[in-house]
Amino acid sequence: MHKMVFINLPVTDLPRSKAFYQGLGFEVVPAYTNDQAACIRISDTIFAMLLVRPFFQTFTDKTIVDPATHVQALSCLSCESRAEVDEVVAKARAAGGSTPRPPLEYPGMYGHGFADPDGHTWELMYMEQDATAQGHAS
């Protein structure tokens, strides 16, 4: 059985956040969506849980920081090609997101990223097959 990943993100405006992720082509899973949370299917094994801030706070005693000014994690999704990286970034911009930095080139790798309307950063990476086999990650 494959493991599933659920990335929980605090959001300030749930309808806006749902619309943003739908604009990227991701699906809302109705069975796990209500007025406090939305489950976004990124792939068969990766989901983003968009949780309104007060609801998110019930899962932790730690202070929630503003993702527009503080980073706690960078989520990275693989892409099938350089073109897919650029297409997803374009969709993110069109849906109201931003691009905090320009695309990056590494030996055997190409990456870019976006920030959602709340400031959560997502990296997108295309890795050539030869590069993944040789372990080029620096």
Side-chain angles (χ1 to χ4, degrees):
M1 181 176 140
H2 293 287
K3 299 283 186 197
M4 294 170 44
V5 176
F6 292 84
I7 301 167
N8 295 283
L9 302 172
V11 301
T12 55
D13 183 334
L14 187 58
R16 177 189 70 181
S17 295
K18 283 173 34 180
F20 174 80
Y21 286 95
Q22 287 175 303
L24 296 178
F26 300 139
E27 167 193 359
V28 173
V29 181
Y32 302 106
T33 299
N34 58 31
D35 61 342
Q36 296 196 68
C39 180
I40 306 296
R41 179 188 311 273
I42 295 171
S43 76
D44 288 341
T45 58
I46 303 170
F47 301 83
M49 293 299 300
L50 309 176
L51 309 172
V52 294
R53 285 179 169 265
F55 185 54
F56 184 95
Q57 190 68 67
T58 66
F59 294 96
T60 182
D61 291 331
K62 295 182 179 182
T63 302
I64 300 172
V65 296
D66 182 355
T69 59
H70 294 78
V71 174
Q72 289 186 300
L74 293 173
S75 301
C76 183
L77 298 173
S78 64
C79 292
E80 297 290 323
S81 66
R82 293 172 64 100
E84 183 184 2
V85 169
D86 293 337
E87 288 168 14
V88 175
V89 169
K91 286 180 183 178
R93 283 185 184 145
S98 63
T99 51
R101 59 187 173 86
L104 297 173
E105 293 271 355
Y106 300 102
M109 296 170 49
Y110 173 73
H112 202 186
F114 63 86
D116 72 10
D118 283 284
H120 300 290
T121 302
W122 290 84
E123 298 292 323
L124 303 166
M125 189 66 63
Y126 165 67
M127 295 177 281
E128 296 172 10
Q129 284 296 83
D130 291 346
T132 56
Q134 295 172 17
H136 288 110
S138 58

